[in-house]
Amino acid sequence: MTATGINEAEKIDVSVKGAALAAANAGKFDQLPIYDRAIECSSRERIRAIQLEKLIAQVEWTYERVEWYRRKMDEMGVKPSDIRTLEDVRKLPFTDKSALRDTFPYGLFAVPLDEVVELHASSGTTGKPIVVGYNDHDMDVWSDCIARLSQMAGVVPSDRVQMAFGYGMFTGGFGLHYGLQKLGCMMIPAGSGNTERQIQMIQDYGTTVLVATPTYALHICEVGERMGYDWATSTLRVGLFGGEPCPPGLKQEIESRMHIVCTDNYGLTEVMGPGVSGECLANRDMQHIAEDHFLWEVVDPETGVPVPEGEMGELVLTPLDKQAIPVLRYRTHDLTRVVTDKCACGRTHARMQKVRSRSDDMLIIRGTNVFPSQVEDVLTSIEGVTPHYRIIVEEVDGLDRMTVQTEIKPETFSDSFEEMDRFRALVAEKLKSVLLVGVRVQLIEPGGIERTTGKAKHVEDRRK
Ligand code: DLL
């Protein structure tokens, strides 16, 4: 905790609930608490100087200690001493998931295993998991990044934080736990699942902050409503969500039904876990990247060539002081754009637009490119459907067929077949006008789409 942190934290008006929290503090964003003002508000020149110093050291660390990178760099004819400017990062090899899979479990580790104090993994859908390790230094950096982004989202040391991520190999649970505790919050380690008990705990312990995926938060909201719990009078005021995209429609839905401010933070196992970036209350569609710990690039996903600043592309991240398992130029596959102008909250660290799509989640349906986020946008623009949906892609008689299952709200449901069919045709028409390809629509009764306590899986591609 910096000298400025705790005292300034009291300045935020925490009595205000819900999305009004951001609005109530609107005129005074630059007075809101900032965990590490010296770093988070430093000049762009200073940020770049810190990055360069760390990049040089990180490349040396990696080259000397990880055989896989040494071989790659030798093949490319690049030595650590060739890294003299930030732009020189482009001389380095990219890393992708396969590097971590191929070296499972410890092949990319740069420290002896007895220095490693924690292990995490992301399950992935096929093959071996991705395993990452942290030494004491990495744990410190991690919790610092989390403390920062929590405070950015309006969390203060006096908050009571209910953790509804699983405390397993997934980085979400423990990662956020340590950082929030570092900030001074009271942690309530509920873990994921057992939804009715989550609501009971919110009531019993006076929880003020909920940590979850947005999809699980919505489920908690629904179950609470069914139990007759009045979210408007609940102590809960901030949602610290992440781990999956939180489209604007979902965010608004959660904010209005749960009466909280719904914030979104981003990260991935391979470069740290949560903690890479987080939303501040001044700009609700962007997230500040912890730039003193991550060097970002945005590249064309096809060619790997950097795009001009501010343009959409694939985010590539180089963690700058990761000791146990360093990675250079990690291809996240997440699509975003990054801007570097100063934010109204006073922070100078670059901001990335919230991730809605990945370069590898694009579906090709009869030759047309379709992103699940497009389907999501159409569905959330239609009154009468819930945010729960699924996309099923199959091959029928040699042709791709895409089916969108969308769950309707109870008030939309009708016994009249004609009325339901008219509504179904309307949804299909709207989808076709945006996707430019015909899709089958199935209306699912309220509650009919399976709920998850973690990340939602919206797409099932059954094609070979
Ligand atoms: O999901 C880390 C995390 C946990 C971040 C909890 C925030 C909160 P992985 O399981 O490795 O790590 O999944 C990483 O999830 O590449 C994105 O595609 C997606 N993702 C994570 N956070 C967001 C977000 C964690 N806020 C992958 N918005 C990433 C959109 C997100 N996508």
Side-chain angles (χ1 to χ4, degrees):
M1 167 58 67
T2 60
T4 50
I6 279 198
N7 295 336
E8 288 188 43
E10 306 314 327
K11 286 188 193 162
I12 191 170
D13 186 356
V14 290
S15 62
V16 189
K17 247 182 83 66
L21 176 70
N25 291 292
K28 46 174 183 164
F29 285 128
D30 54 351
Q31 296 163 38
L32 293 180
I34 293 182
Y35 183 72
D36 192 343
R37 193 175 283 274
I39 286 289
E40 292 176 77
C41 302
S42 56
S43 68
R44 296 294 309 158
E45 292 70 38
R46 178 151 154 66
I47 292 168
R48 286 177 65 84
I50 294 172
Q51 287 184 319
L52 181 58
E53 194 185 324
K54 287 190 178 181
L55 177 67
I56 291 170
Q58 183 74 15
V59 173
E60 271 168 17
W61 176 275
T62 311
Y63 184 85
E64 277 161 20
R65 291 167 176 247
V66 185
E67 207 253 323
W68 190 90
Y69 277 111
R70 195 162 48 248
R71 198 162 23 85
K72 275 262 165 195
M73 287 172 61
D74 286 348
E75 276 165 21
M76 294 169 78
V78 54
K79 292 269 174 280
S81 55
D82 293 327
I83 307 301
R84 291 186 215 100
T85 68
L86 284 178
E87 287 63 40
D88 286 339
V89 73
R90 295 175 194 169
K91 297 176 178 166
L92 298 169
F94 284 123
T95 309
D96 64 19
K97 242 187 212 340
S98 65
L100 286 115
R101 285 225 165 93
D102 296 347
T103 55
F104 175 86
Y106 300 131
L108 290 189
F109 279 46
V111 298
L113 287 182
D114 56 8
E115 263 183 43
V116 174
V117 295
E118 191 151 324
L119 216 59
H120 281 283
S122 89
S123 53
T125 42
T126 51
K128 296 278 189 204
I130 301 296
V131 175
V132 291
Y134 306 75
N135 66 4
D136 281 334
H137 163 88
D138 298 333
M139 294 303 288
D140 271 353
V141 171
W142 198 10
S143 51
D144 232 52
C145 289
I146 299 294
R148 275 189 210 174
L149 70 81
S150 304
Q151 195 134 83
M152 255 183 239
V155 178
V156 292
S158 56
D159 270 312
R160 302 175 193 177
V161 183
Q162 189 161 318
M163 172 63 67
F165 279 140
Y167 279 97
M169 296 305 281
F170 175 52
T171 51
F174 282 107
L176 279 138
H177 182 109
Y178 298 131
L180 283 153
Q181 213 162 46
K182 190 168 193 171
L183 182 62
C185 299
M186 177 174 106
M187 292 309 294
I188 305 168
S192 67
N194 211 338
T195 309
E196 294 194 357
R197 208 191 62 179
Q198 299 274 359
I199 291 146
Q200 191 61 51
M201 289 171 88
I202 293 171
Q203 263 177 300
D204 289 345
Y205 305 134
T207 304
T208 54
V209 176
L210 178 69
V211 185
T213 56
T215 335
Y216 187 42
L218 180 64
H219 183 42
I220 294 178
C221 171
E222 292 169 336
V223 172
E225 287 168 350
R226 276 207 300 277
M227 288 163 64
Y229 183 62
D230 182 2
W231 290 108
T233 60
S234 151
T235 46
L236 204 65
R237 56 178 193 84
V238 176
L240 209 52
F241 302 145
E244 64 178 5
C246 184
L250 180 58
K251 179 177 181 161
Q252 274 161 21
E253 179 105 13
I254 297 175
E255 292 201 326
S256 66
R257 283 168 69 179
M258 287 184 104
H259 299 269
I260 60 174
V261 65
C262 164
T263 70
D264 184 14
N265 64 84
Y266 165 89
L268 56 155
T269 310
E270 295 84 343
V271 303
M272 168 183 272
V276 173
S277 67
E279 167 183 337
C280 71
L281 296 179
N283 196 327
R284 311 287 317 281
D285 190 38
M286 306 292 277
Q287 294 160 330
H288 288 281
I289 301 174
E291 274 192 295
D292 52 325
H293 296 301
F294 297 96
L295 183 65
W296 55 268
E297 298 166 80
V298 180
V299 304
D300 180 318
E302 308 253 302
T303 62
V305 174
V307 299
E309 188 174 312
E311 286 190 13
M312 284 297 284
E314 177 186 342
L315 183 67
V316 173
L317 291 168
T318 302
L320 292 172
D321 41 19
K322 202 154 176 292
Q323 294 187 349
I325 174 162
V327 278
L328 303 177
R329 304 190 83 200
Y330 189 75
R331 299 281 303 246
T332 66
H333 291 293
D334 291 320
L335 300 177
T336 186
R337 61 188 192 94
V338 178
V339 296
T340 54
D341 54 326
K342 190 174 169 183
C343 178
C345 74
R347 291 178 183 82
T348 46
H349 285 203
R351 288 169 292 156
M352 58 183 266
Q353 187 155 15
K354 290 187 179 178
V355 171
R356 293 288 314 280
S357 313
R358 293 174 52 85
S359 56
D360 55 3
D361 69 8
M362 187 180 79
L363 298 162
I364 302 179
I365 309 293
R366 297 194 292 280
T368 304
N369 299 346
V370 173
F371 279 101
S373 58
Q374 294 176 293
V375 173
E376 205 163 68
D377 285 339
V378 173
L379 294 178
T380 50
S381 74
I382 301 173
E383 264 297 310
V385 301
T386 72
H388 303 286
Y389 73 95
R390 271 170 66 75
I391 298 171
I392 297 163
V393 188
E394 301 154 294
E395 194 181 301
V396 179
D397 298 332
L399 281 181
D400 300 326
R401 184 173 74 185
M402 180 167 149
T403 305
V404 174
Q405 298 181 329
T406 178
E407 188 182 293
I408 54 174
K409 291 184 175 162
E411 56 270 29
T412 316
F413 188 75
S414 156
D415 284 337
S416 152
F417 176 79
E418 287 76 24
E419 217 171 289
M420 287 284 72
D421 201 49
R422 261 200 306 279
F423 187 65
R424 192 196 51 72
L426 173 110
V427 177
E429 192 48 47
K430 289 206 172 192
L431 282 167
K432 188 173 180 190
S433 70
V434 171
L435 307 180
L436 307 177
V437 64
V439 298
R440 282 202 324 161
V441 171
Q442 289 176 342
L443 301 181
I444 307 291
E445 76 279 6
I449 290 192
E450 199 190 336
R451 304 297 192 255
T452 161
T453 60
K455 303 188 187 212
K457 189 169 178 313
H458 293 296
V459 180
E460 191 183 332
D461 194 342
R462 298 178 183 160
R463 292 174 297 188
K464 286 189 199 80

